[in-house]
Amino acid sequence: MDINGPLSDPFFGAIKLGSDDAAKALGINYQYVAATDEKNVVADYTRLLQESIGRHPAAMVVGDFVPSAFDPLIKQAVDAGIPVVIVNSGADSWQNVGALTYVGENALVTGEAAGTFAAKAGVHHLVCVNHVAGNPQLNQRCQGAQMTLSQAGGTSTVLNIPTADSGNPAAVQQDIQGFLTAHPETDGVLTLGSGIATDAQAAIKAIGKTGQIKLGTTDVSTAVLQAVKSGDISFDMDQQAYLQGFLSLEIAFQYLKYGIYPTQPIATSGLVISKENVDKALAVQQQYPGSRGAR
């Protein structure tokens, strides 16, 4: 049982593709369970976790997106004898809930690298756009970027977009556009998702500052890779979602079959895609659609 992010967010398509390929390679059956969108994250995933535990699967792979709400239920699964692997979100909570291990990004390191890259690109005033403010992983990305940019002499702020709007490109663009108009000193934008990056790109274009405001993002999509190649996006932090989906399912399988598992978290983040290496990432994405991020 893989309880993960909604496929309406194109990021999670790469995680599911990795899980699908792992299931095919290992010859196992699994089910990907998700909400339809991110409008009611806590309520929807609380229900999905409760239903999944009630079915008592052989193992569970879970994204711990909101630990304050999800941890008691994940502990309940572990106490019921269900092996759990935490994936994508939960770097700070996987041990507390008794999971086997964690597969995903070190969000603070991702943010620090993004802030360093932004500073080198000439950014002095950065806004970090957070579209799921209750998610500790995303909060840490912004914190890391703010910390390293501050060390380089820059300033920064966080723009929290209502999570219910995160799947509405027009609303996201309007929010970012409004902020940039009200804060004309802003010369850098960091987004925390490939779809949000595309919305930010449109917002920057709408106010006539393409090329003047440096845009960086986390997470990969074909559109983002093409924008990095054209120079409209300066850099992209890749947490390698396909790898998260593949490895988490493989770990659950190996634990069930052999009783073995990695005792330390597996970090998949920290890869920076820029003009220097974007051609290789695009070539892989074209040959194996969805393997390097959203299609």
Side-chain angles (χ1 to χ4, degrees), residues 139-154:
N139 292 339
Q140 288 179 356
R141 289 182 191 172
C142 285
Q143 291 166 5
Q146 290 184 286
M147 183 169 62
T148 50
L149 189 68
S150 175
Q151 290 169 349

Side-chain angles (χ1 to χ4, degrees), residues 38 41 65-66 130-136 138-139 160-161 163 166:
E38 294 165 325
V41 171
F65 304 120
V66 185
N130 191 341
H131 61 287
V132 189
N135 185 314
L138 300 195
N139 292 339
N160 287 316
I161 290 178
T163 303
S166 62

Side-chain angles (χ1 to χ4, degrees), residues 181-204:
T181 302
H183 300 83
E185 74 281 6
T186 304
D187 57 3
V189 176
L190 175 63
T191 60
L192 308 181
S194 56
I196 307 297
T198 301
D199 301 336
Q201 189 181 352
I204 293 170

Side-chain angles (χ1 to χ4, degrees), residues 36-59:
T36 55
D37 54 41
E38 294 165 325
K39 292 179 180 176
N40 299 295
V41 171
V42 172
D44 287 346
Y45 280 90
T46 295
R47 175 180 55 79
L48 290 174
L49 280 165
Q50 290 170 335
E51 291 175 353
S52 298
I53 294 168
R55 295 167 64 182
H56 203 87

Side-chain angles (χ1 to χ4, degrees), residues 9-294:
D9 182 340
F11 167 82
F12 290 102
I15 287 186
K16 185 177 185 299
L17 180 61
S19 299
D20 288 348
D21 285 355
K24 184 177 180 181
L26 298 167
I28 60 175
N29 294 317
Y30 94 104
Q31 184 177 0
Y32 188 95
V33 178
T36 55
D37 54 41
E38 294 165 325
K39 292 179 180 176
N40 299 295
V41 171
V42 172
D44 287 346
Y45 280 90
T46 295
R47 175 180 55 79
L48 290 174
L49 280 165
Q50 290 170 335
E51 291 175 353
S52 298
I53 294 168
R55 295 167 64 182
H56 203 87
M60 290 172 61
V61 172
V62 181
D64 193 6
F65 304 120
V66 185
S68 60
F70 298 172
D71 282 3
L73 288 167
I74 297 173
K75 286 180 180 177
Q76 183 181 331
V78 172
D79 291 343
I82 303 172
V84 173
V85 176
I86 301 295
V87 65
N88 182 251
S89 291
D92 296 330
S93 61
W94 69 274
Q95 289 177 303
N96 296 334
V97 297
L100 297 175
T101 192
Y102 166 74
V103 182
E105 73 165 341
N106 183 321
L108 193 62
V109 171
T110 296
E112 289 172 351
T116 299
F117 204 97
K120 288 182 179 176
V123 172
H124 297 93
H125 306 288
L126 177 77
V127 59
C128 183
V129 181
N130 191 341
H131 61 287
V132 189
N135 185 314
Q137 298 279 110
L138 300 195
N139 292 339
Q140 288 179 356
R141 289 182 191 172
C142 285
Q143 291 166 5
Q146 290 184 286
M147 183 169 62
T148 50
L149 189 68
S150 175
Q151 290 169 349
T155 64
S156 59
T157 190
V158 176
L159 172 62
N160 287 316
I161 290 178
T163 303
D165 289 347
S166 62
N168 183 337
V172 174
Q173 179 183 336
Q174 188 175 29
D175 286 345
I176 297 173
Q177 192 172 326
F179 179 91
L180 295 177
T181 302
H183 300 83
E185 74 281 6
T186 304
D187 57 3
V189 176
L190 175 63
T191 60
L192 308 181
S194 56
I196 307 297
T198 301
D199 301 336
Q201 189 181 352
I204 293 170
K205 183 179 180 180
I207 61 172
K209 289 195 172 182
T210 298
Q212 298 177 44
I213 296 178
K214 303 293 184 183
L215 174 60
T217 190
T218 64
D219 301 340
V220 177
S221 70
T222 299
V224 165
L225 292 175
Q226 290 171 337
V228 171
K229 185 175 177 64
S230 69
D232 288 343
I233 292 180
S234 299
F235 64 92
D236 184 10
M237 306 299 302
D238 186 5
Q239 63 168 303
Q240 304 186 99
Y242 177 93
L243 203 55
Q244 294 178 15
F246 195 103
L247 291 180
S248 58
L249 216 67
E250 184 177 21
I251 289 169
F253 167 79
Q254 300 220 9
Y255 177 78
L256 291 173
K257 185 169 184 177
Y258 304 112
I260 57 177
Y261 60 99
T263 57
Q264 296 297 317
I266 297 176
T268 62
S269 62
L271 181 64
V272 182
I273 298 176
S274 63
K275 270 202 164 184
E276 283 67 35
N277 59 351
V278 69
D279 285 340
K280 186 174 182 180
L282 259 175
V284 172
Q285 179 80 333
Q286 289 165 353
Q287 184 173 3
Y288 306 102
S291 59
R292 290 305 303 265

